[in-house]
């Protein structure tokens, strides 16, 4: 049984991130992650968000993707940027003040990262498949240059007791004038 990922919202804005497909019988979830989804919009608006690079329109932990423990996660990673290389890596949670200048392959949890960590080219895509075998909190981050410190990351949680993967938007982490997600 395949089903759409359900999005829960914690604030007043309404936006449903259309990220993926859930397959509870096969214990698999497929998630499409697009780097720099909002690039065109943030440049169109002038100086807004120019220093914030996103995944599917989210950054700096304002989206959490939660998956059930022991599920297989199939990530389709697309560099949607027209200017910059980006990558995708599963890594541990860092406080802002502890973030390394950049992440390397050794920082990958379960060996999950797109090659090369410095980023794939514009409009390229990579598939990343891994089993979310350890319950815990992680980041889905970009390993390129200073992108982690710049906010190019979202939360990734592995939990017992979930019936399917969900995406949770934290609306308190958006500047008021900037709605979450894709414009
Ligand atoms: Cu990046």
């Amino acid at each position: 049984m395949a089903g759409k990922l359900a999005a829960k919202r914690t604030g007043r804005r309404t936006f449903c991130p259309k990220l993926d497909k859930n397959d509870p019988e096969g214990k698999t979830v497929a998630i499409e992650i697009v780097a720099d989804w909002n690039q065109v919009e943030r440049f169109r608006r002038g100086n807004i968000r120019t220093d914030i690079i996103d995944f599917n329109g989210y950054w700096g932990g304002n989206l959490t993707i939660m998956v059930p423990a022991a599920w297989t996660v199939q990530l389709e990673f697309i560099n949607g940027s027209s200017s910059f290389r980006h990558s995708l890596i599963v890594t541990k949670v860092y406080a802002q003040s502890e973030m390394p200048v950049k992440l390397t392959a050794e920082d990958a949890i379960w060996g999950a990262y797109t090659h090369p960590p410095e980023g794939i080219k514009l409009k390229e895509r990579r598939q990343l498949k891994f089993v979310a075998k350890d319950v815990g909190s992680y980041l889905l981050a970009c390993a390129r240059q200073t992108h982690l410190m710049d906010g190019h990351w979202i939360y990734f949680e592995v939990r017992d007791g979930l019936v399917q993967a969900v995406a949770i938007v934290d609306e308190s982490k958006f500047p008021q004038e900037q709605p979450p997600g894709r414009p």
Side-chain angles (χ1 to χ4, degrees):
M1 287 282 285
K4 287 277 181 228
L5 174 125
K8 291 182 187 167
R9 287 167 221 92
T10 54
R12 66 196 183 288
R13 295 187 191 278
T14 56
F15 177 77
C16 181
K18 195 178 154 197
L19 294 177
D20 62 346
K21 283 191 209 108
N22 273 291
D23 175 9
E25 284 175 13
K27 296 195 172 189
T28 298
V29 60
I31 305 173
E32 187 181 87
I33 303 276
V34 182
D36 245 341
W37 189 331
N38 271 333
Q39 185 191 23
V40 172
E41 176 66 5
R42 67 178 201 255
F43 281 118
R44 185 183 71 74
R45 290 190 204 169
N47 229 358
I48 213 164
R49 272 197 212 170
T50 46
D51 57 344
I52 308 174
I53 316 159
D54 65 87
F55 289 125
N56 291 17
Y58 298 90
W59 73 90
N62 55 23
L63 181 72
T64 300
I65 294 175
M66 286 185 194
V67 304
W71 275 35
T72 298
V73 179
Q74 293 178 314
L75 296 180
E76 179 81 14
F77 177 61
I78 298 160
N79 185 0
S81 179
S82 40
S83 316
F84 311 109
R85 285 178 173 240
H86 295 290
S87 66
L88 191 64
I89 183 169
V90 181
T91 192
K92 68 169 199 155
V93 175
Y94 292 95
Q96 184 72 35
S97 60
E98 298 168 340
M99 285 177 176
V101 173
K102 68 173 183 178
L103 295 162
T104 67
E106 287 87 71
D107 298 308
I109 306 281
W110 312 309
Y113 70 99
T114 56
H115 189 79
E118 305 80 56
I120 59 172
K121 292 180 186 163
L122 316 183
K123 310 307 174 196
E124 278 192 331
R125 57 176 66 213
R126 290 282 191 284
Q127 287 78 37
L128 204 54
K129 186 174 172 179
F130 58 90
V131 177
K133 55 186 175 186
D134 305 302
V135 169
S137 295
Y138 308 93
L139 303 184
L140 275 177
C142 177
R144 180 167 180 77
Q145 297 178 357
T146 60
H147 289 195
L148 173 66
M149 301 167 80
D150 294 340
H152 202 184
W153 60 274
I154 56 177
Y155 285 114
F156 182 75
E157 288 195 15
V158 181
R159 287 203 179 175
D160 277 326
L162 277 185
V163 285
Q164 63 170 24
V166 294
I168 298 187
V169 178
D170 186 342
E171 319 251 346
S172 71
K173 291 185 178 170
F174 287 89
Q176 271 207 321
E177 69 284 5
Q178 297 185 33
R182 191 173 187 167

